[in-house]
Amino acid sequence: MSEDQSPDFGTLISQLVALQGNAAQQWFQQMLPQTAHKFSDPGAMAEWMGVAHRLQTMWLAFQSERAGAAMPTNPFTDPGKWLELATRFVQQSPLADPQRQQKLWADSMTLWDSVLGQYGLGRGAADEDRPNEPKLPRQDKRFADPKWREQPFFAVVHQTYLMIAEQLEAMVESFEGLSEDRRDQMRFVTRVLIEALSPANFPLTNPAVVDRTLETKGENLVKGMEHLLADLKRGQLTHTSPTAFKLGENIAVTPGDVVYQTPLFQLIQYKPTTPKVLETPLVIFPPWINRYYILDLNPKKSFIRWAVEQGLTVFVVSWKSADASMGDLTQDDYIRAQIEAIDAVRERLKVPAAHTLGYCVAGTTLAATLAVLARRGEAEKVASTTFFTAQVDFERAGDLKIFIDDLPLKLVDELSEDGYLDGRYLAATFNLLRGRELIWNYVINNYLMGEDYPAFDLLHWNSDTTNLPALWHKAYLRDLYRDNKLVVPDALSADGTPIDLTRIQTPAYIQAGREDHISPPESVFRITRHLRGPMRFVLAGSGHIAGVVNPPDARKYQYWINEDPAGSLEEFTAGATEHPGSWWPDWIEWIRTHGDKTVAARGKRKPGGKNDSVIEPAPGQYVKTR
């Protein structure tokens, strides 16, 4: 061919694209026959080349931005790191055994013959062998979409994945010489790896993503890349629309004022909605690992608003998200803060006592606070106490115990150079516990399918992280989760006062969630073995959040009560009576049995009124600090 006859560069590229398109079409016709017609025009591959170029440009721009800002490479986005971890896992697992590998290969061949035979593609298969609906040996809700069964490629891929997952899980159970705690850790690591490697999480092996990509000509991947890069910049997986909610406007809107403040917390008092209120107020201590407004998401879901409507004067502690100035805080500071809040409420309203309520870790600390008050002869400051999903005995503390050994504790030190642990690390930990729902579901919908984020108040709260004082967080994990010292009388102390839970005589209402994986009900129930006052235990339907935030008007779930004494959760449930709906009405009736006297809702019962100086309107500033 002469020089003037040689094709230009653009022609060569077009020919190359056409060649690739023909090859792709032939492959699709064999393994994805129902999709092959969408590739009838090989020249359309140029459009895909354009999309690929845009994706590459976006990624390179992101990397250049990080390099220009001298930001270290994020190890969680380095494919080499993941490959290294996966390789080490396989090498250290029974998969490295040649005999197991041989069996895995044999099982795979048998599976492929069985599945492909139903599509007329297996060895010796004929078209007449193909049933109208393939009968696949393994079922999983992630692959319930008919698209996973309509085409042989996707059928083989997801069935092979499920088979390998079964074998990996079985291998963990076959390990000899492991303690149960170590086996639980292996189960968790294996589950995380299995969930990550699901074919649903990759664009070329998820039929719904392939269809969406063909329909949009790759625009879903471009939009997904935008979502991914935004998340990488903020260092956190997005679950809901970032602009859908604003504190004080459409979330955390119950009217109130900040009436007291320290460097550690703000104390919010809510405005009454009834002409008379119960004389004894309620002080709520939410967990400092989250924002308080889980109890005030919106008017229909708000426990705070509902409690106010029942005639309670409600105060809520809003903890400050930790910063470098709070690196030396310990358990003593949070116990001291709870006592200070109780005293501030008593002084403000001129009452002898307050009801207290502690949610999750704040409930754990509240138990220690009550023990300190009892030891000091000041138990009368608290009229009653309520525990939402709170543990004091951590022997069977659930999924989080898999993170409690020397390595995770050392990691807390490494991640807390400035004296606090970034809340995004804790959020990632909780997400891993429910990886399918809180990680991979969003990877598929928002990164691969390119869908917009929903406006969901609960997910907004879940993503609104708080930083933790590193010294206190590490001690909490070590002394409570690992060493279980809180239930050992006088093993711990606060401000020089030994802590002995058996000294607590305060009436207690104890709520647990039947499906709670963070504070398992059998673990929560154990608090009844350590307190010595009158107790009422309630087992609520659902889990750690929905089991608590369940307003009566929702008419959802149920709860169980056993009026007879029980020595274990099993004994409790065996004799319990099921009640439909919310347990909140049962709780308020219990509260009234511990003080039903009412007073007029005036004076400082109405924050911000005449002669009452307040700091700022609710929700205050601390809940907005990052």
Side-chain angles (χ1 to χ4, degrees):
M1 180 181 295
S2 64
E3 183 175 338
D4 59 328
Q5 291 178 315
S6 60
D8 60 23
F9 181 75
T11 303
L12 287 174
I13 291 297
S14 298
Q15 291 175 349
L16 179 60
V17 169
L19 183 63
Q20 292 173 331
N22 284 324
Q25 186 176 16
Q26 292 175 15
W27 182 85
F28 270 76
Q29 286 174 341
Q30 179 71 8
M31 297 298 290
L32 300 166
Q34 298 181 38
T35 306
H37 71 279
K38 298 179 181 180
F39 285 88
S40 58
D41 179 13
M45 290 295 290
E47 295 185 53
W48 297 101
M49 290 287 288
V51 169
H53 178 70
R54 289 165 62 193
L55 292 171
Q56 182 184 36
T57 300
M58 292 167 67
W59 180 253
L60 290 176
F62 169 73
Q63 294 287 34
S64 297
E65 180 182 336
R66 292 181 63 87
M71 299 177 67
T73 301
N74 187 339
F76 298 109
T77 63
D78 183 353
K81 292 286 185 182
W82 286 107
L83 181 59
E84 178 185 349
L85 289 173
T87 301
R88 286 168 54 192
F89 177 85
V90 172
Q91 289 174 343
Q92 296 174 18
S93 77
L95 275 178
D97 181 358
Q99 291 185 339
R100 288 187 182 271
Q101 291 180 358
Q102 187 175 13
K103 181 180 183 302
L104 179 62
W105 177 253
D107 290 347
S108 299
M109 292 300 296
T110 301
L111 174 68
W112 297 341
D113 280 343
S114 172
V115 172
L116 291 176
Q118 299 189 56
Y119 296 87
L121 297 174
R123 288 180 291 184
D127 289 341
E128 58 268 19
D129 297 329
R130 179 173 181 174
N132 292 329
E133 178 68 25
K135 297 180 180 179
L136 304 179
R138 292 169 177 82
Q139 307 297 320
D140 187 291
K141 65 180 182 180
R142 287 171 292 177
F143 310 110
D145 190 323
K147 290 183 174 67
W148 288 99
R149 300 182 298 277
E150 290 173 354
Q151 307 196 51
F153 172 73
F154 297 118
V156 168
V157 165
H158 88 266
Q159 287 294 304
T160 303
Y161 163 76
L162 292 175
M163 181 196 71
I164 294 175
E166 285 179 2
Q167 297 203 11
L168 284 172
E169 290 171 340
M171 287 176 189
V172 173
E173 304 305 320
S174 71
F175 281 128
E176 297 180 357
L178 287 180
S179 66
E180 195 56 31
D181 287 345
R182 185 63 65 187
R183 194 179 302 279
D184 283 342
Q185 289 180 325
M186 287 297 298
R187 290 185 184 118
F188 171 75
V189 170
T190 303
R191 175 165 57 84
V192 169
L193 179 65
I194 288 172
E195 289 176 350
L197 295 178
S198 168
N201 303 335
F202 300 92
L204 292 179
T205 53
N206 184 326
V209 175
V210 170
D211 282 357
R212 175 67 61 84
T213 303
L214 294 174
E215 291 168 4
T216 67
K217 295 184 178 179
E219 289 301 321
N220 59 306
L221 299 181
V222 173
K223 192 171 184 178
M225 177 65 80
E226 293 173 350
H227 291 158
L228 171 62
L229 296 182
D231 286 354
L232 290 175
K233 289 177 182 178
R234 68 191 290 261
Q236 187 178 0
L237 184 70
T238 298
H239 289 126
T240 187
S241 173
T243 60
F245 299 99
K246 189 171 183 179
L247 288 169
E249 293 187 6
N250 59 355
I251 197 167
V253 296
T254 300
D257 292 286
V258 176
V259 297
Y260 189 83
Q261 179 173 309
T262 77
L264 183 54
F265 69 88
Q266 288 187 318
L267 184 64
I268 302 171
Q269 180 183 355
Y270 291 91
K271 298 181 184 297
T273 58
T274 55
K276 289 190 174 184
V277 293
L278 292 172
E279 180 183 45
T280 306
L282 172 68
V283 186
I284 299 176
F285 298 103
W288 53 85
I289 62 175
N290 299 111
R291 306 291 182 174
Y292 82 85
Y293 62 85
I294 182 59
L295 298 176
D296 192 26
L297 287 175
N298 63 52
K300 291 184 178 180
K301 298 178 184 177
S302 175
F303 176 83
I304 291 171
R305 179 182 290 263
W306 183 87
V308 169
E309 291 171 349
Q310 307 313 304
L312 276 168
T313 303
V314 177
F315 293 81
V316 172
V317 165
S318 175
W319 301 104
K320 185 179 181 182
S321 181
D323 56 30
S325 68
M326 301 166 67
D328 293 332
L329 295 187
T330 66
Q331 168 190 256
D332 294 16
D333 295 282
Y334 282 84
I335 290 176
R336 195 182 304 121
Q338 290 189 336
I339 295 174
E340 185 175 358
I342 293 168
D343 286 341
V345 169
R346 292 172 57 245
E347 173 62 24
R348 176 175 171 79
L349 300 184
K350 308 302 180 186
V351 294
H355 300 296
T356 58
L357 186 159
Y359 192 167
C360 190
V361 295
T364 303
T365 303
L366 179 58
T369 297
L370 295 173
V372 168
L373 291 174
R375 194 66 165 260
R376 295 175 178 174
E378 300 176 346
E380 72 281 355
K381 291 182 176 181
V382 179
S384 79
T385 193
T386 297
F387 297 103
F388 287 175
T389 68
Q391 303 173 91
V392 299
D393 186 331
F394 290 82
E395 182 181 355
R396 298 182 180 177
D399 291 349
L400 284 176
K401 287 205 74 171
I402 62 181
F403 299 107
I404 311 304
D405 61 20
D406 291 340
L407 183 59
L409 292 177
K410 181 180 179 181
L411 187 60
V412 172
D413 287 333
E414 295 175 354
L415 297 176
S416 310
E417 293 181 356
D418 294 325
Y420 66 91
L421 183 68
D422 192 315
R424 290 173 294 183
Y425 292 117
L426 195 62
T429 299
F430 282 109
N431 287 345
L432 281 173
L433 294 176
R434 295 176 56 198
R436 289 191 189 182
E437 295 86 358
L438 294 178
I439 298 178
W440 301 112
N441 180 52
Y442 294 91
V443 167
I444 295 169
N445 291 336
N446 304 119
Y447 294 172
L448 302 183
M449 300 292 283
E451 295 178 356
D452 292 327
Y453 293 103
F456 191 2
D457 51 13
L458 178 58
L459 291 177
H460 175 87
W461 167 84
N462 188 60
S463 299
D464 192 0
T465 61
T466 56
N467 304 327
L468 309 179
L471 193 63
W472 169 215
H473 183 60
K474 184 177 178 180
Y476 190 94
L477 297 179
R478 181 189 63 239
D479 294 341
L480 276 61
Y481 267 94
R482 190 188 71 182
D483 299 337
N484 204 19
K485 288 183 177 180
L486 187 57
V487 293
V488 179
D490 298 347
L492 299 174
S493 63
D495 277 349
T497 302
I499 296 172
D500 180 359
L501 300 183
T502 64
R503 291 176 174 266
I504 300 174
Q505 301 282 340
T506 307
Y509 190 98
I510 303 159
Q511 179 270 345
R514 185 180 61 171
E515 300 166 17
D516 193 335
H517 65 287
I518 296 174
S519 301
E522 58 269 25
S523 181
V524 173
F525 185 86
R526 289 182 170 220
I527 196 174
T528 64
R529 302 178 183 179
H530 304 285
L531 308 186
R532 294 296 180 265
M535 291 174 279
R536 184 171 182 80
F537 182 84
V538 176
L539 182 63
S542 197
H544 197 70
I545 303 299
V548 172
V549 185
N550 182 28
D553 289 346
R555 302 182 184 278
K556 293 176 65 177
Y557 308 127
Q558 65 284 102
Y559 65 97
W560 290 264
I561 297 285
N562 187 342
E563 303 291 351
D564 298 323
S568 67
L569 181 66
E570 291 76 15
E571 187 177 337
F572 171 89
T573 54
T577 300
E578 180 178 337
H579 302 272
S582 172
W583 52 269
W584 292 6
D586 181 79
W587 173 79
I588 193 63
E589 289 304 314
W590 180 86
I591 284 287
R592 292 189 178 111
T593 66
H594 296 286
D596 60 356
K597 182 180 177 181
T598 60
V599 296
R602 61 171 180 256
K604 290 195 175 180
R605 296 281 176 166
K606 286 187 174 182
K610 186 177 180 181
N611 300 322
D612 183 26
S613 177
V614 298
I615 297 171
E616 61 179 326
Q621 289 301 312
Y622 281 12
V623 74
K624 301 174 184 178
T625 59
R626 297 293 175 262

